[in-house]
Amino acid sequence: MALTEAKVLQDGQTKLWKHTFSFAVSMALKCAVDLRVADIINSHGVPISLSQIAAKIDSPSPNIPNLERIMRLLVRKEIFSAHQRPNSEETLYGLTASSRWFLHDSELSLAPFISLQNSEWLMAPWYRLAQFVKESVPGGSTGFSKCYGSEIFDFASKNHEFNKLFNAGMESTATVMVDAILTGYKDGFSSIGSLVDVGGGNGHMISKIVKAHPHIKGINFDLPHVIAAAPKHKGVANVGGNIFEAIPKADAIFMQRVLASFNDEDSIKVLKNCLKAIPKETGKVVIIDPLLDLENEGPFDEMIAALDLSMMMLCKGGQERTKLEWQKILEASGFLLNRVIKIPAVLTIVEAYPA
């Protein structure tokens, strides 16, 4: 075998090993979040030793050797940094730009999202992935429903613990994205008198929009069991209902990570209800979702491709969409795509007006 051919095969094997054990990184990351390792380090203000980390872990007898092995992997993945204490063999662990994103007490924290995505509830459906290639049943079930006997939103309405975890995870991503959205769509919000946040959860996003644009009358619209747990926000009315039946009337409709949960047929039904809720001449719909790009290699493109699979497993007909796919379902709903606004985040702003 030629040297170059052997090198190619070895590189292929290396990449395969890496992908096979990539789950270990996710689990180690979840472990660090659960143990609040980043918060412990941050509370000291400087890099600290394993024994100092272990002393603050909520356990009477933490296993320091096991912690060291977990930290070793996370340092290699640049989640944490490692430094040698001067004149000592002891290693000190510090934060990096990545670990600062899962500090629990930070306003911009992805800790709840990491806990949600790596929970047993959302990991188990992935074991059904091959079935989605073998089976071709129109309107079939999801990996989630195969595990739990009901679709994810129905399950959340009956399981308080999961509902709390799900809402916290969604809120954390909305919080991280809100500044990029407010900046990227500043001119769009300025012309709106009233705005409905469809699938707004606990109202965090719409409250931020209203705070930045006090002239807007905000409506947080979601399923009744979600609204029942939503806090009150100044300038925002909480309204429960079903997006497949009717949407509260307003100048504009805002939807973040909503239509990715549905197939084209259901998305068109939702968009047609949006069309009924807004003024024919001046109304608009603002969709905030990842944009699936099959050609470019942007910083989030690989993750969006993975998100597409996640939506397939968790939501019946769930999918991320390309610009052309958005254009098609918008036109089928009575809208015209006006513009696509790229922002420095995993999400993209899609704006459309009544045709």
Side-chain angles (χ1 to χ4, degrees), residues 10-22:
Q10 184 174 339
D11 289 347
Q13 182 185 162
T14 301
K15 185 176 291 186
L16 191 60
W17 278 106
K18 178 181 177 181
H19 292 320
T20 300
F21 283 94
S22 60

mmCIF file of all heavy atoms in Angstrom, residues 10-22:
data_model
loop_
_atom_site.group_PDB
_atom_site.id
_atom_site.type_symbol
_atom_site.label_atom_id
_atom_site.label_comp_id
_atom_site.label_asym_id
_atom_site.label_seq_id
_atom_site.Cartn_x
_atom_site.Cartn_y
_atom_site.Cartn_z
ATOM 1 N N GLN A 10 -5.663 6.205 7.388
ATOM 2 C CA GLN A 10 -5.468 6.496 8.812
ATOM 3 C C GLN A 10 -6.214 7.770 9.218
ATOM 4 O O GLN A 10 -6.832 7.822 10.280
ATOM 5 C CB GLN A 10 -3.980 6.652 9.133
ATOM 6 C CG GLN A 10 -3.720 6.867 10.627
ATOM 7 C CD GLN A 10 -2.242 6.864 10.956
ATOM 8 O OE1 GLN A 10 -1.425 6.340 10.216
ATOM 9 N NE2 GLN A 10 -1.914 7.450 12.098
ATOM 10 N N ASP A 11 -6.171 8.777 8.349
ATOM 11 C CA ASP A 11 -6.908 10.011 8.632
ATOM 12 C C ASP A 11 -8.410 9.737 8.714
ATOM 13 O O ASP A 11 -9.105 10.306 9.559
ATOM 14 C CB ASP A 11 -6.629 11.058 7.553
ATOM 15 C CG ASP A 11 -5.221 11.622 7.641
ATOM 16 O OD1 ASP A 11 -4.554 11.396 8.677
ATOM 17 O OD2 ASP A 11 -4.787 12.291 6.676
ATOM 18 N N GLY A 12 -8.886 8.865 7.824
ATOM 19 C CA GLY A 12 -10.303 8.505 7.853
ATOM 20 C C GLY A 12 -10.670 7.795 9.137
ATOM 21 O O GLY A 12 -11.732 8.055 9.724
ATOM 22 N N GLN A 13 -9.794 6.900 9.589
ATOM 23 C CA GLN A 13 -10.050 6.179 10.832
ATOM 24 C C GLN A 13 -10.049 7.147 12.021
ATOM 25 O O GLN A 13 -10.900 7.059 12.912
ATOM 26 C CB GLN A 13 -8.992 5.100 11.055
ATOM 27 C CG GLN A 13 -9.235 4.284 12.306
ATOM 28 C CD GLN A 13 -8.130 3.292 12.611
ATOM 29 O OE1 GLN A 13 -8.033 2.815 13.727
ATOM 30 N NE2 GLN A 13 -7.286 2.985 11.632
ATOM 31 N N THR A 14 -9.106 8.081 12.005
ATOM 32 C CA THR A 14 -9.013 9.059 13.086
ATOM 33 C C THR A 14 -10.297 9.873 13.192
ATOM 34 O O THR A 14 -10.834 10.091 14.279
ATOM 35 C CB THR A 14 -7.820 10.011 12.855
ATOM 36 O OG1 THR A 14 -6.620 9.244 12.789
ATOM 37 C CG2 THR A 14 -7.718 11.038 13.965
ATOM 38 N N LYS A 15 -10.785 10.311 12.040
ATOM 39 C CA LYS A 15 -12.015 11.113 12.019
ATOM 40 C C LYS A 15 -13.195 10.282 12.506
ATOM 41 O O LYS A 15 -14.064 10.788 13.243
ATOM 42 C CB LYS A 15 -12.269 11.619 10.602
ATOM 43 C CG LYS A 15 -13.467 12.562 10.492
ATOM 44 C CD LYS A 15 -13.617 13.111 9.081
ATOM 45 C CE LYS A 15 -12.490 14.061 8.740
ATOM 46 N NZ LYS A 15 -12.708 14.725 7.422
ATOM 47 N N LEU A 16 -13.236 9.007 12.126
ATOM 48 C CA LEU A 16 -14.325 8.136 12.538
ATOM 49 C C LEU A 16 -14.332 7.937 14.051
ATOM 50 O O LEU A 16 -15.381 7.983 14.697
ATOM 51 C CB LEU A 16 -14.214 6.793 11.820
ATOM 52 C CG LEU A 16 -15.428 5.860 11.930
ATOM 53 C CD1 LEU A 16 -16.670 6.521 11.347
ATOM 54 C CD2 LEU A 16 -15.142 4.544 11.234
ATOM 55 N N TRP A 17 -13.150 7.706 14.639
ATOM 56 C CA TRP A 17 -13.037 7.568 16.093
ATOM 57 C C TRP A 17 -13.533 8.842 16.784
ATOM 58 O O TRP A 17 -14.253 8.797 17.790
ATOM 59 C CB TRP A 17 -11.585 7.299 16.501
ATOM 60 C CG TRP A 17 -11.153 5.868 16.376
ATOM 61 C CD1 TRP A 17 -10.334 5.334 15.414
ATOM 62 C CD2 TRP A 17 -11.509 4.784 17.231
ATOM 63 N NE1 TRP A 17 -10.161 3.992 15.612
ATOM 64 C CE2 TRP A 17 -10.876 3.622 16.741
ATOM 65 C CE3 TRP A 17 -12.306 4.672 18.361
ATOM 66 C CZ2 TRP A 17 -10.996 2.376 17.342
ATOM 67 C CZ3 TRP A 17 -12.441 3.430 18.972
ATOM 68 C CH2 TRP A 17 -11.795 2.303 18.453
ATOM 69 N N LYS A 18 -13.137 9.958 16.234
ATOM 70 C CA LYS A 18 -13.507 11.246 16.824
ATOM 71 C C LYS A 18 -15.021 11.416 16.851
ATOM 72 O O LYS A 18 -15.610 11.810 17.867
ATOM 73 C CB LYS A 18 -12.863 12.384 16.022
ATOM 74 C CG LYS A 18 -13.218 13.774 16.516
ATOM 75 C CD LYS A 18 -12.545 14.833 15.647
ATOM 76 C CE LYS A 18 -12.945 16.243 16.066
ATOM 77 N NZ LYS A 18 -12.322 17.274 15.218
ATOM 78 N N HIS A 19 -15.677 11.109 15.728
ATOM 79 C CA HIS A 19 -17.121 11.261 15.665
ATOM 80 C C HIS A 19 -17.830 10.235 16.548
ATOM 81 O O HIS A 19 -18.870 10.530 17.156
ATOM 82 C CB HIS A 19 -17.606 11.127 14.226
ATOM 83 C CG HIS A 19 -17.167 12.256 13.339
ATOM 84 N ND1 HIS A 19 -17.141 13.565 13.766
ATOM 85 C CD2 HIS A 19 -16.747 12.275 12.050
ATOM 86 C CE1 HIS A 19 -16.719 14.342 12.788
ATOM 87 N NE2 HIS A 19 -16.465 13.589 11.730
ATOM 88 N N THR A 20 -17.281 9.028 16.625
ATOM 89 C CA THR A 20 -17.900 7.970 17.419
ATOM 90 C C THR A 20 -17.973 8.345 18.893
ATOM 91 O O THR A 20 -18.951 8.024 19.577
ATOM 92 C CB THR A 20 -17.124 6.646 17.254
ATOM 93 O OG1 THR A 20 -17.140 6.261 15.880
ATOM 94 C CG2 THR A 20 -17.742 5.538 18.091
ATOM 95 N N PHE A 21 -16.956 9.030 19.377
ATOM 96 C CA PHE A 21 -16.910 9.386 20.795
ATOM 97 C C PHE A 21 -17.254 10.853 21.060
ATOM 98 O O PHE A 21 -17.007 11.359 22.154
ATOM 99 C CB PHE A 21 -15.535 9.048 21.376
ATOM 100 C CG PHE A 21 -15.354 7.586 21.640
ATOM 101 C CD1 PHE A 21 -14.758 6.770 20.691
ATOM 102 C CD2 PHE A 21 -15.822 7.010 22.808
ATOM 103 C CE1 PHE A 21 -14.612 5.412 20.916
ATOM 104 C CE2 PHE A 21 -15.689 5.656 23.047
ATOM 105 C CZ PHE A 21 -15.078 4.843 22.099
ATOM 106 N N SER A 22 -17.846 11.532 20.074
ATOM 107 C CA SER A 22 -18.209 12.931 20.290
ATOM 108 C C SER A 22 -19.268 13.080 21.376
ATOM 109 O O SER A 22 -19.364 14.125 22.017
ATOM 110 C CB SER A 22 -18.689 13.567 18.982
ATOM 111 O OG SER A 22 -19.818 12.886 18.485
#
